[in-house]
Amino acid sequence: MKISALLLAVCHLLVIATAGCKKQDPVALGSSASEAQHSPSSSVRTYSPRDEATAGGYVDASGHEHLVPIRVSTASRAAMNYPGCGDDYIDNHSISYKGYSLDYTTCSSGSPQPSAIHVRWTHDIPSDIALDVTSSGSTAKLKFDSGAYQTIAPISVRPIGTYTHPGSGIAMTRYQVEYAVNMGSVNYCATSNFTSSYRLATDCDEVPVVFPTTKTDSLSPNTYKVHPYIAKVSSGSRAFTVSPGTLPCSGCHDPALGDSPEHLFEYRKKGTTTWTVIQRTNLSNFRVPVPSAGIYEYRSKGKLTIGGAYSDYTEIQTVTVSDYAEVVAGVDYSLALRPDGTVWASGSGPLGDGSSGVNRFIPVQVQGLSEIVTVAAGGSHALAVRSDGTVWSWGENYDGQLGDGTYIAQKTPVQVHGLSGVVAVSAGFYHSLALRSDGTVWSWGENHDGRLGDGTNNTHNTPVQVLGLSGVVAVSTGFYHSLALRSDGTLFAWGNNDFGQLGDGSTTDRFLPVQVQAPSEIKTMDGGLSHSLAVLSDGTVLAWGRNAQGQLGNGSTTDSLLPQHVQGLSAVTAVSAGLFDHSLAVHSNGTVSAWGENNNGQVGDGSMINRLTPVQVQGLTSAVAVSAGGSHSLALLSDGTAWAWGSNSVGQRADGSFREQPVPMQLDGLSNVVAVAAGGYHSLALRSDGTVWGWGQNNHGQLGNGTTSEISTLVQVQGLNNVIAIATGPLHSLAVHSNGTVWAWGNNSCGQLGDGTTSSRLTPVQVQGLSDAKAVAAGHLHSLVRLSDGYIKAWGYNFFGQLGDGTITSRSMPGYAVNWVWQSVAIAAGDNHSMAIGLHDGNAWTWGDNSVGQMGGSGDDKYRYAMPVQDMSGVVAVAAGGLHSLVLRNDGSVWAWGANSKGQLGDGTNSTRYWPVQMQGLSDAMTVAAGGEQSAAVRTNGTFWTWGGSRVIGQQSNTTPIQAGTLDNGRSVAVGYEHFVGLRWDGTVWVWGDNSYGQLGSGLPTGVLTATRSQLL
């Protein structure tokens, strides 16, 4: 290929201004540039201002942009007749000035010795252009202000790499250009200007593209002073943020940081003697995590040249770091960093306490961690950073997200391989990010959509560097994407982009960081499941990505590929994007706004309605940080307390509430109780003074306190006294007054309250037409009463004939007496069937639904008349569950029939029984009860026994009776759908089983729709 004339001329004008040079350490004359720059004993001053010169201008080391005209002739332009010689070349090449070296050891004598100036550049040229790296046509010139100049040929030109230009997609080759010129008699200890230029021989016609620039520098070490640093306490961490201050004099130099650490920041806790040293290679801000609160001293020093002497230390300054706590929400768990540097966890997931598959409703300590400065919670793994900059991880590891070089899950923390100097971490669903103090970002874990940002789709179980990022001050992981915020306020994103969560206007996955199309004034940000949030410097919030639940807060459910403003937000200081589909924001006044999915109350406005625009979280006025998990939310208040709202299904709120209680616990605040009843998810207790008390689910007013609010503490049923009997169905409740009247409250959709209407009642109303009642029973949507003469009346839903009046007509008031059972001693009601004990024959009688044999015999699906159960005489007690029936006979044996999918018949099987079968293992029962798909009994020795369905985690359904803890002295037991209430002869009440709706009356919130205090901190 023919090598044509000279292609390029590049000029770089430097003004060398020095005065008052002092004695310096001697150095051998004639040192090469490479020797001077890498010899630790050399006092050769090497300048590396890193000016970036491009077509149309350049940016100097201080960040100032200089626009320079480009002069290209039309003739020359026309001569470039193949790709690479046209405008692409002019528009896309770049020149990076690397610096020069001077030997000034004799400046103090006033007789500078001849020395060489060494110049090194990098030059990017389209790969289609052929460059002869050995040709004498590649030359350089050095011109001094005296007018003298020298020509250097040949010069050193060598290729050092290739890449694709990000703007144009052109393949580029990077060359390194180096040359040296003898300074001759030029007195470089005084003011002196020189211009450096070079030309490269290519196969293009010569095009003179000139980049004249001017820079004034002093070579005197006496005028050099290092940048001082300013340290301020970081918001939301036990750390301080360090930023470079203003140079102390107008003639001072920027430090020449080059390619090796030449600037030192040192700190120590006041009262200690050892300084911790941080080496810096740039002047960007950085964070310094510390292990404990206190006053910290700091100072700095640096070098003007690589390999030169250090400057004097700056004056010692101090910064005060206070105790710090942190709470972060995972999918179904929470982490808390306590002020003592320990980490605690609750919920279900990577708890780090050595357990697996266990729900923790009370926080447990993560093992083996101390001096922790920040934590992160992901889908099924967690991360923590120690004050020494190391990173620790635990949890699932099937994609290498723990970064320990394996794919083995860890129940306790292990160290992430090869990371140091880390100041922040973030955990996604299957991947992790770490930010180092030098502003670089590292990643590991699953990578099929590029979320690791290394340009590949290869999964990594140890950290790899995210390419193309520097000066980063914050990182965040979404479930499948990643975000990084630079110190200049620009935001970059990479990874999965199915819903536009990268904010680049597309739905294309990105394997390398791309800039989010948002203003360059972002202060903080966060990534969620498939959406992202950012706070601008004016306190407004941007959101983009998936919006199916309104998590973008713009009033719609339409996804957005570009950032849009969240409606109605101002003065926002921090945001959190939920790991599912809700969002949180903290305002400068301490209030919290929330929007998006709200099916578990995670928005915290007292409702369970999705919010398409922000609403205020109730009960919070001094929040400083928030974290949005899967279906729960956390907040840290200025007083150091943690608050939580939303789901607590597995203990993730850690507010003292719990979903399951496997063994009986005493219900505080109740005494002198003579009867208990359990509905679907609520409970009642009758005290000896005739008052009735309730707790649990109350969505239909079944607690009778005038509200529909869920109650996990005792409340008194309004307007009732002198009560002698109580009963509960799943949605309504009944009570018998000592005067024989019956009162009802709760759901009334089928007339089951008996007041002649179908209107639900939040407080008791009198059942019409009854004045001599002795006992009541409540089914799903129907009610029974046993009168003083033994007759039974019923009202409510009757599709299955459960009213026993010979029809299937529902009634809103008591009607005819149940046919054929003319006198009775006990009654019971299941979901859609009814039971009684005949007074004279002692038989069990049934009527209503028989779809799974709950009548105790095969035949019709509906029994509109009461029929005796065959061979069931000598019955002393009856109980009806959802779809099954129980009787206790006078010999202490228990018999059952009906549905048996959860073992509720207690016969050791799960087989439906159309005829009575005797329960195994119980021969001395004193009383029985049934509810939902479970059953219970009290034995004559006072112990409590249960069988059937179980919601207690880790406990299977029992097809034969098991003892309920050590509870004894039993008087009676009541069974709800998923909980039990036991009454002892001493009048105390004990509860166990499921607590999703507060039906255990623990006094602790369960389904929390507004913020409550958490035990995490």
Side-chain angles (χ1 to χ4, degrees), residues 987-1011:
T988 60
V989 176
W990 295 69
V991 290
W992 66 100
D994 183 73
N995 193 38
S996 298
Y997 301 95
Q999 61 264 48
L1000 301 189
S1002 62
L1004 301 170
T1006 51
V1008 172
L1009 305 182
T1010 58

Side-chain angles (χ1 to χ4, degrees), residues 13 59 135 148 249 263 270 290 336 347 450 526 546 572 647-648 801 866 990 1011:
L13 176 64
V59 179
S135 171
C249 58
H263 207 155
K270 192 171 184 179
V290 292
D526 195 40
R546 189 171 187 264
V572 172
S647 174
N648 197 44
W990 295 69

